[in-house]
Amino acid sequence: MSDLVKIERMTSRPQFLAAAKGVSEARGAVVVQRLDRADGNPAIRLGFTATKKVGGAVVRNRAKRRLREAARALAPHYCVAGGDYVFIARMGTADRPWDRLLDDVKSALTRLATPRSAPPARDPRTPARTTDASPEQ
């Protein structure tokens, strides 16, 4: 990369809560949340978390260490400048093979970097589709 982007850590709860209001992408053993700060600061902020559902303290810490290392390797290439990213460990993060974990993180970051178009608006005059599989007679 020709221009280096500064990467900072998210440390306070309000930063994590703000990022949760952005878009998120779940891939394999990781969920990544992204919020475009729009404050003019080009730095990328990264945060890491794991709930108690993931396991005990040892397992949670291992999962977060693995996510930090994956983000360190991939964030400069796939994160958008001026964004906050929260990496959330899932059940298999601590045990996932390293190559697959990197693929999960890369896939989520790539998906978050591409803008999504809004789903097409439904015509209000068209009746809503039902999920009933049986034909009406």
Side-chain angles (χ1 to χ4, degrees):
M1 278 183 98
S2 58
D3 52 7
L4 296 175
V5 178
K6 185 175 180 182
I7 297 177
E8 301 172 353
R9 287 288 302 273
M10 295 171 61
T11 56
S12 68
R13 180 171 167 79
Q15 293 172 337
F16 282 82
L17 293 177
K21 294 179 182 173
V23 295
S24 68
E25 196 65 41
R27 290 285 190 265
V30 66
V31 176
V32 181
Q33 298 173 334
R34 176 181 178 262
L35 176 70
D36 185 16
R37 290 192 313 272
D39 62 357
N41 183 2
I44 297 169
R45 290 195 306 200
L46 305 177
F48 305 91
T49 187
T51 65
K52 288 188 177 181
K53 285 184 183 180
V54 173
V58 173
V59 176
R60 290 195 312 269
N61 288 333
R62 180 169 188 217
K64 288 188 287 185
R65 278 196 310 270
R66 296 184 87 214
L67 286 178
R68 278 193 293 268
E69 185 59 25
R72 184 197 62 77
L74 298 173
H77 305 290
Y78 296 101
C79 288
V80 177
D84 286 349
Y85 291 85
V86 175
F87 294 81
I88 303 171
R90 294 174 100 182
M91 288 291 208
T93 304
D95 301 325
R96 190 119 169 138
W98 180 244
D99 293 337
R100 292 190 61 197
L101 182 63
L102 284 178
D103 286 342
D104 293 343
V105 172
K106 180 180 174 181
S107 172
L109 291 177
T110 302
R111 179 79 171 132
L112 288 172
T114 57
R116 298 180 194 173
S117 60
R122 187 178 71 80
D123 186 6
R125 296 173 297 201
T126 307
R129 297 181 75 176
T130 61
T131 58
D132 186 18
S134 64
E136 294 182 34
Q137 295 178 347

